[in-house]
Every structure is written in C-alpha cells, then in structure tokens.
Amino acid sequence: MKTVTEAVRSVPLRSLLTGFLPAAAAFLLSGAALDGLYSPWALAVVSAAGVSWPGLSALLGAGLGAFLFLDFQAGLRHTAAAILIFCANTAFCTTRLYRRPVFRPVAAVLMTLLVQSAYLIQRQPRQWALCAAACTVLYAAAALLPSLSDANAPAVSRGQALFLLGLGLSLTAYGWSFSGFRVGGMLAAALLMAAAKCLSPASAAAAGAVAGLTMDLFTGDAVLLTAVCCGGMGAASAVRERGRLAVPLVYTAAAMAGYTLLDGPDPLPLLFQSVAGAGLYLLLPLRLPLRLAQQAPVPPSQQAATPAAAFRAVYDSFFTEVTPPRPENPAVLFDRAAEQVCAGCLLQRDCWQAHYNDTYNAFNDACPRLLRRGSACAEDFPLHFASRCLHFPQLLETLNDQLHQFLLRRAHRLQLEEAYQVARQQYAQMSEVLSSGVPVSAPPRFTCRTAIALRPKEGETLCGDQAASFEAGGAACLLLSDGMGSGEAAHREAAMTVRLLKQFLQAGVEPLPALKTLNTAMLLRCREGAGFTTIDLLRLDRSTGEAALYKYGAAPSYLKKLGRVTRYGGAALPAGLEGADRQPDVIRFVLPPDGWLVMVSDGVVGGDGDEWLQDLLAGWGGGTPDALARRILTMSAEHGGRSDDCAVLVLHRLRGEENGPAQV
C-alpha cells in the first residue's frame, strides 16, 4: 500500500497546478475591485475554470478573496455571483450550448446582473454605469481567459488574455498606496509600455485609455486623469522603432503633459508612478514584449514547409536506420512437432540423447525439401530414422500442420514488411510533395499546338486509354494513361490516373514526387484487386524549350527534330506494379523550333513493329498535329492495331518565337 508521501508524489505536478492556480488567481484578483464594489476579474476566472475541481477551487478562491478585499455586503454579492456562475457551468456542461465560445462569458454576465440588480434598484446612474463597466470587463476577460489553458488557441488571443491578466494583477496591487504612490499604477505603466512595443499606435492608445479608465473607476477619484495619461501610450507606440529608450521617454513626457493640462489633485505621486513604471519596463527581458505580439502571416511557401518538415521528421525518426526483424527460424517446425509427438515416446531418450546427432541431421536435411514442396513426405527422411521412429506417421502429420502455420506466418510477415515499406515511402513522398512550391517560370516565348486521338478496341464502346493536354506552371503538359485490359474497367482506371495527376501538376507539385505518390497509391489499389495503368507524361517548358518525359511502363515516344527521328523508351513497370521506392524513367531533351513529339499507347504499334511509325514521322511534310494523329490511327489499323485500345498525342513547336497559349 502506498504511503501518503508516495501518493502525493504520484499525482502529476501539472494536475496540482491545474487545481491550485484557479483558486490562487481568483483569490488575488478579488482585490481588483472597481470602486470597492465589483471584482470582475475574479468572476472571469470562475467562469473560465469551468466545472469539476478547477471550477470549485476558483469558486473557493473568489469567496475567500471577497471577504478579505471587499466589504461584507459587496463580498456577499460577489460570492453569490461566483456560486451562480459555477452552478450555470455545471448545469449546462453536458450540453452542446456549453461548448459554444460565448456561453460562459454570457452566463457570467447574466448571473452577475441577477445578483446585483436587486442592489441597483433606486440607485444613482453612476452606480448603474459602474455596474455596466464591470460587466463589460467581466465579459471580455471571461471570453479571453480560456485561451490561457487552450493549447490550440491562436497566439493573438493568448496575448490579449495575458495582457488582461497582467492588468488585473496590477489593479489588485492598485490599492496599495504610499503617500499617493500606487504600486499597481507602476505595474500597469510597465505593462502598457511592454504592450506598446507590439501594438499599433491606435491599439496602444485604446488599451492605455481603457486601462487608465479602469484604474480611475477603481478609486473613484481623479476621473479621466489616469485614462488620458495612459492614453498617451499611442504616442509611445509610434516611436517604438527608434530604440528601447524611446517608449518610456515618450510615455513619461505624455503623462507629464496630461497631469499638467488636467491639473489633477497632487500630480507628483502620479508622475513618480510613470517614472517608476518606465524604469521597471527597462528592467524587463527584451523578449517579454514580443510575447504579446500578433504573429505575422506566414508566407504560403513556409506554410507548406512546416507540414513537409513534420512528415520528414516522422520519416527520419521512425523509418531510417531501422533493422528489419529477423525471419522465423524453420527449426521451430521440428521443435514443436517433437514437443507434441516425442514427449511421451518410449524412445525419447534414445533419439534425443544417445542418437541426438542422427536425429538432428535427419531433421536438418529434410528442412529444405519441406519448405520447397510445402508439405512433408516420408521420402524426405533417411530410412534409418523413419524405421526407428515409433510414431512416424503421426510425426509427418504434425509436421505438415506446423509447416502450414509456418508458411502462413511467413506470408503474413512479408505482407507486413511490404506495407511497412509502402508507408515508409508515403511519408518520404508526402514531404516531397508538400515541399514543392508553385514553380516560378518565365513568360512563354513560343507557341505549340497539340492534338489527341483515341480509338477503343474493336467491339468496345469505351476506350481504355485516356489522354490530356493542359498548362501547368508555365509549361505545356501531355499526359497519356493506358489502363489494364479494355472496356469500362480500364477506362475508369486510366481516367482516374489522368485526372489525379493533372490535379497534382496544376497545384504546383513537381512531376517526380507527384508520380511517385500516385504510384504508391496505385500499388495499394492493386493489392486490393484493382488494375495497374501505364503513365506517359511530357512536361515542356515554353520559355526554354526544355522537355522531360516520365514513363511508368509506357510505350516508346518519338521525337523529330532537324529532320531526324529519335525513339525514347523506358524499362520501368506500370504504376501499381513498381515498388514504392522506384522512380519512373526520366528522359530529358530540348525541343527546337519546328520540332515534333509523338506519344502513343502500346496498342498503336501492334505486332508489326514501329518502323512504319518512324518512317511516317520522318517524312511528315508539315501538316497539322490533328492530321498527323488521325493518320497514325489509320495506319495503325493497317498494322494490326484494332485488337487493343489506341491513343495518340502529338505536339508541334511552331517556328516563330511568338507568345501564345498551347493550342489543342
């Protein structure tokens, strides 16, 4: 049984702080009373603490602080409001209404008005105005304080909450006065100067005016004096870029001007407060003001880099330098069979002690034949062993059962390892995809025309080959996909491949990571029974003429430049058959003016070879790409091309270096 000390040590420190801090905050902030009647900061803590132990501890802290810092009647009303706020949170905590951000601030204000309204009947307008100011502060603080405990809250809300909490603590100390010098005023001045370092001049002036007005309402004296002086924080914020000393100097000068112009009662202690606050601000760490700053918007490239770095970190942490588990030793077959068959045999000691080497060699020699065949036979064992074994038929039966289970475990382990490799590559490829920004290309310098021609297999209505021509990042792209087989299933697979890859490229993803990601996804689909597809992609930079062909199992492509035809093929398998870490074949070249590129599916060439296609392209006299595509399909039918789906893409770069879009 744990001792009391061990039990206390076993409680997480964070849990203790979670329960203690609301009570301490509510207790201290009860001293931040407006005119000695309202402590909205403490009630905001009760509202923000919610239910269960944090809410109950905040309630206790607010009650103790009320009777210490407030008069009896004001403290009684304050405690009653805190109890009603806690009860409202508890009553609605399981409802959908409670999860709305405005519920707790509104409930806190309503419960406070319910208690204070009876007191305000037949009171002067000043009391009503003071209550309205307290409710406004209560709503603002209750709405922002929850962000202190919410790790997902935006940074600007967290900064506002810290500012309000610091202001509330300053007001708590505002009641400590020494010959007119108030410690809380000094703390508030230092806090406002810290905020002025990261707020706009208008926001800093508004924050200073509100803080000063709150301090004026705290005492009921010198109304508007402190508000006007603190409002000079806007001038201090305007010079924040001129050095660390500029803010306190300008704020002190503005405070002196305010005290002089308004001729407040005994302005000297108030001036000392500002000077002391300026000195305290200079003693604060340099990084403290920046914690209240609103975060600057992150450029899109950095927004993409953050998740990319996260995926790369997962890949580096979990998948690099990982030793794969050792395969199961086949000797376990004989160990388990011997445990079941030989345990009660009369010759156990003779076989496993006197003739241990003979038994071991018999099993060891039979192991390769068992694994190769997938079953155990009597011929796998030497005659001297089979004739001496009293339970040989039972041993063979047990071995076959164990062998069947062993082969199932091995197949399962291989599938897990393949899935592991796929996941490993997915994390690496995802980081590559997210790292890819939208490519910045120079304006197009030349025009190119494209054409697409499709023909389904004879007897089919849908073509299993699909193609597309489009612009992506200042480049002309030609894409061809040949689905496995023909008919509707092949058409669906090829169309999906073209659509997804087109979306990747037009979103700014580079071709190589896009193709690898798509190949990995199709690898998983193939294991579920879906078919594979070929991918043939051309990306032509229309500012330089540089081109790149990417091929996953695609048929050869043909380039005609300067009157010569070049055939480009590849050795990669179709997408869905390649391993997750395999890259497509990449062929790079430059397409000159009046250059032609022809991409075809494997059904176009047929069984007669592709010499006819190369001769046709070499002798082509300069017709349109559409005419060349139709001519290729016509000649394909003459060379046995009707037995499969056919697709032809033709691209022609015009001679003139004139701007213009690619024409389809």
Side-chain angles (χ1 to χ4, degrees):
M1 182 177 296
K2 289 184 177 180
T3 64
V4 175
T5 303
E6 291 174 345
V8 172
R9 289 178 179 175
S10 63
V11 178
L13 179 60
R14 185 174 181 178
S15 300
L16 292 175
L17 292 177
T18 302
F20 173 75
L21 285 179
F27 175 78
L28 292 175
L29 291 175
S30 296
L34 302 182
D35 203 18
L37 297 175
Y38 306 100
S39 293
W41 305 98
L43 295 181
V45 172
V46 176
S47 174
V51 297
S52 188
W53 168 241
L56 183 59
S57 67
L59 173 60
L60 295 176
L64 292 175
F67 288 101
L68 179 64
F69 296 109
L70 302 176
D71 294 336
F72 178 77
Q73 291 185 357
L76 192 62
R77 293 194 298 270
H78 177 81
T79 305
I83 293 175
L84 289 179
I85 292 172
F86 177 74
C87 292
N89 288 340
T90 305
F92 290 91
C93 65
T94 58
T95 65
R96 188 175 299 177
L97 182 63
Y98 181 80
R99 292 191 291 270
R100 295 187 177 181
V102 299
F103 172 79
R104 282 188 278 181
V106 171
V109 172
L110 292 178
M111 295 302 104
T112 301
L113 288 176
L114 183 62
V115 173
Q116 300 289 352
S117 59
Y119 168 77
L120 292 174
I121 296 176
Q122 296 182 349
R123 294 286 179 175
Q124 297 179 357
R126 181 181 182 279
Q127 298 296 330
W128 285 93
L130 187 63
C131 181
C135 290
T136 302
V137 174
L138 170 59
Y139 180 88
L144 293 173
L145 279 178
S147 64
L148 290 173
S149 59
D150 185 4
N152 296 321
V156 63
S157 296
R158 186 182 300 273
Q160 292 172 350
L162 289 173
F163 177 78
L164 287 176
L165 185 58
L167 184 59
L169 292 174
S170 300
L171 289 175
T172 302
Y174 200 71
W176 303 341
S177 176
F178 304 96
S179 300
F181 180 88
R182 296 185 179 274
V183 177
M186 176 189 67
L187 297 177
L191 178 66
L192 289 171
M193 279 181 274
K197 285 288 293 181
C198 51
L199 296 176
S200 64
S203 299
V210 172
L213 179 61
T214 307
M215 287 184 282
D216 287 333
L217 292 175
F218 183 87
T219 59
D221 298 330
V223 176
L224 296 182
L225 176 60
T226 313
V228 172
C229 295
C230 292
M233 196 62 65
S237 176
V239 297
R240 58 187 174 182
E241 302 296 337
R242 297 185 177 274
R244 184 170 173 80
L245 289 175
V247 171
L249 289 177
V250 172
Y251 171 75
T252 304
M256 292 176 61
Y259 298 145
T260 303
L261 294 176
L262 294 178
D263 194 20
D266 196 10
L268 192 58
L270 301 179
L271 180 60
F272 286 160
Q273 288 176 197
S274 301
V275 175
L280 179 61
Y281 163 75
L282 294 176
L283 296 177
L284 293 176
L286 288 174
R287 295 183 180 180
L288 181 63
L290 300 180
R291 295 178 183 175
L292 299 178
Q294 182 176 358
Q295 292 182 349
V298 182
S301 60
Q302 295 183 12
Q303 292 177 356
T306 300
F311 275 99
R312 174 56 62 176
V314 171
Y315 172 79
D316 293 337
S317 301
F318 290 94
F319 298 115
T320 58
E321 300 181 1
V322 176
T323 303
R326 297 180 61 182
E328 187 178 11
N329 192 342
V332 70
L333 301 173
F334 304 102
D335 294 339
R336 295 178 179 177
E339 291 176 359
Q340 299 180 29
V341 178
C342 302
C345 182
L346 297 175
L347 299 179
Q348 179 187 13
R349 292 181 177 275
D350 182 68
C351 292
W352 291 100
Q353 292 184 9
H355 298 88
Y356 172 79
N357 289 333
D358 294 339
T359 304
Y360 175 81
N361 291 332
F363 284 166
N364 190 50
D365 294 341
C367 185
R369 293 189 287 270
L370 266 67
L371 296 177
R372 185 169 54 251
R373 188 188 306 110
S375 61
C377 298
E379 294 80 9
D380 296 333
F381 297 89
L383 183 60
H384 66 84
F385 174 82
S387 60
R388 188 177 71 249
C389 181
L390 300 179
H391 307 283
F392 189 66
Q394 184 181 357
L395 178 64
L396 290 179
E397 182 180 355
T398 305
L399 276 175
N400 279 323
D401 181 63
Q402 293 294 331
L403 180 60
H404 177 69
Q405 298 180 27
F406 174 82
L407 294 177
L408 287 179
R409 290 194 300 271
R410 185 168 67 176
H412 179 64
R413 187 184 69 254
L414 292 176
Q415 291 178 354
L416 287 179
E417 291 179 358
E418 291 178 0
Y420 174 86
Q421 293 298 328
V422 171
R424 177 179 184 268
Q425 291 302 319
Q426 282 282 36
Y427 277 101
Q429 293 164 12
M430 189 62 67
S431 67
E432 295 179 11
V433 169
L434 293 175
S435 299
S436 301
V438 178
V440 180
S441 301
R445 294 193 307 110
F446 59 84
T447 301
C448 56
R449 296 183 297 174
T450 61
I452 300 175
L454 303 176
R455 184 181 64 207
K457 177 183 176 181
E458 192 171 13
E460 298 286 348
T461 57
L462 293 175
C463 183
D465 299 344
Q466 291 296 299
S469 172
F470 54 91
E471 291 276 330
C477 296
L478 270 66
L479 177 58
L480 188 153
S481 177
D482 182 359
M484 181 185 66
S486 58
E488 182 179 357
H491 172 81
R492 184 172 57 252
E493 292 293 327
M496 180 191 67
T497 302
V498 170
R499 174 175 54 84
L500 293 178
L501 192 53
K502 180 179 178 181
Q503 289 178 347
F504 269 116
L505 297 175
Q506 290 186 334
V509 180
E510 290 294 329
L512 196 57
L515 287 167
K516 290 170 61 179
T517 302
L518 192 60
N519 171 61
T520 306
M522 298 185 68
L523 180 63
L524 297 175
R525 281 178 53 84
C526 286
R527 292 176 180 174
E528 296 176 356
F532 58 85
T533 61
T534 68
I535 300 178
D536 203 357
L537 170 66
L538 169 74
R539 185 181 186 277
L540 174 64
D541 190 334
R542 294 181 56 223
S543 62
T544 63
E546 297 177 352
L549 269 173
Y550 302 87
K551 291 182 176 291
Y552 264 132
S557 301
Y558 305 88
L559 171 67
K560 178 183 178 181
K561 63 177 182 179
L562 305 178
R564 181 179 178 182
V565 176
T566 305
R567 181 178 185 268
Y568 293 122
L573 297 176
L577 297 181
E578 284 285 9
D581 57 340
R582 293 292 301 275
Q583 297 187 4
D585 296 312
V586 183
I587 304 145
R588 303 185 186 276
F589 55 89
V590 175
L591 183 66
D594 199 28
W596 293 78
L597 181 79
V598 175
M599 300 165 60
V600 298
S601 61
D602 56 0
V604 172
V605 174
D608 296 343
D610 62 353
E611 288 81 3
W612 63 268
L613 179 55
Q614 297 188 51
D615 294 340
L616 172 63
L617 184 58
W620 187 251
T624 65
D626 184 66
L628 177 58
R630 291 198 305 268
R631 180 58 178 164
I632 292 175
L633 282 186
T634 301
M635 295 189 64
S636 170
E638 300 173 358
H639 291 80
R642 293 187 179 274
S643 59
D644 196 1
D645 299 306
C646 295
V648 179
L649 282 85
V650 178
L651 181 143
H652 177 218
R653 175 179 172 179
L654 301 183
R655 288 182 179 275
E657 298 295 315
E658 55 189 19
N659 293 326
Q663 302 173 3
V664 180

